[in-house]
Amino acid sequence: MDSAEYERKIAHRFAAFDQDGNGYIDRADFNAAAARLLTEFGTTARCDRGQALYTGAEAFWQGMAGIADVDGDQRVTREEFVGGAVKRLRDNPDRFAEIARPFLRAALAVAAGSDPEGAAPASAPVAAVERALRVLGAADDIASVAARSLDTDQDGRIAEPDAVAAFSAYFTVIEPDA
Ligand code: CA
Ligand code: CA
C-alpha cells in the first residue's frame, strides 16, 4: 500500500471518531455519537439504555485517551491518533475490543430497543445497525455493505461479538483495498 492510500485510510478512521469535525477527538465526540444514536432511535438519555450508552461512551473515551492522548491535554490529535492509537492498537487489538465493547453493546441495545442488562448477548437487526452507521457518518453504500457483512451467521441480526470484532478490525488493521 502506498503512503497516500495509508493516509486516506487513517483519515477515514480519524473522521469516524471526530464526530463534530473540529480536527481532534475528545469527550465531546463520544457524547455526540451517543446523542445521535439516541435521537435516531427515539431513546431518551435518562432511561437505562440511554444511560448505558453514555456510560459506554465515557469508558470508550477514557480508554482512547489512555492509549493515544500522549500529552494529556484531553484531546487526541491526528498525530496522536496515528502514532498512539493506530500503532498501539494494531499491536494489541484485544485491548481496543475491550475499551469499545461497553459502548457497542449499549449501541446495539439502543438500535434493537432491547434491555442492555438482558442475559443474552446484545444483538440488533441488520437494518437497525445500518441506520446506526449512517447516523454516525458512514456513507450510505458503506453502511449497507458493512451492516450486511456483520451478520456472519445470516440470521438477520448482528450480535455483540461480531460487532466488536469488526469494529476492532476496522480500526486496528489497515490493509490495502482488496
Ligand atoms: Ca472532535
Ligand atoms: Ca493530546
Side-chain angles (χ1 to χ4, degrees), residues 14 17-26 28-29:
F14 187 84
F17 279 111
D18 182 16
Q19 286 277 312
D20 61 13
N22 65 353
Y24 54 84
I25 300 165
D26 71 0
D29 293 309

Side-chain angles (χ1 to χ4, degrees), residues 47-73:
C47 73
D48 287 352
R49 274 177 276 139
Q51 290 187 8
L53 190 62
Y54 275 105
T55 301
E58 174 65 17
F60 199 170
W61 159 243
Q62 293 287 343
M64 169 69 78
I67 289 169
D69 181 20
V70 176
D71 64 5
D73 69 350

Side-chain angles (χ1 to χ4, degrees), residues 13 21 31 36 39 54-55 70 76 81 106 113 124 129 144 150-151 154 157 160:
R13 285 153 177 81
N31 286 334
R36 283 177 188 174
T39 299
Y54 275 105
T55 301
V70 176
V76 174
F81 184 74
V129 172
S144 175
L150 287 169
D151 179 16
Q154 305 277 304
R157 296 183 71 85
E160 178 187 318

Side-chain angles (χ1 to χ4, degrees), residues 79-171:
E79 291 69 33
E80 286 175 324
F81 184 74
V82 172
V86 174
K87 286 205 180 78
R88 281 185 223 177
L89 293 170
R90 184 182 58 209
D91 294 341
N92 192 356
D94 289 347
R95 184 164 170 204
F96 190 72
E98 290 319 306
I99 67 170
R101 186 185 303 278
F103 177 77
L104 294 176
R105 173 185 295 154
L108 284 172
V110 166
S114 62
D115 179 358
E117 307 303 334
S123 71
V126 170
V129 172
E130 190 178 328
R131 279 171 64 195
L133 292 171
R134 280 200 184 125
V135 79
L136 294 178
D140 285 355
D141 54 338
I142 291 172
S144 175
V145 169
R148 271 183 275 121
S149 73
L150 287 169
D151 179 16
T152 50
D153 64 1
Q154 305 277 304
D155 70 346
R157 296 183 71 85
I158 294 167
E160 178 187 318
D162 291 332
V164 171
F167 197 79
S168 181
Y170 178 72
F171 286 103

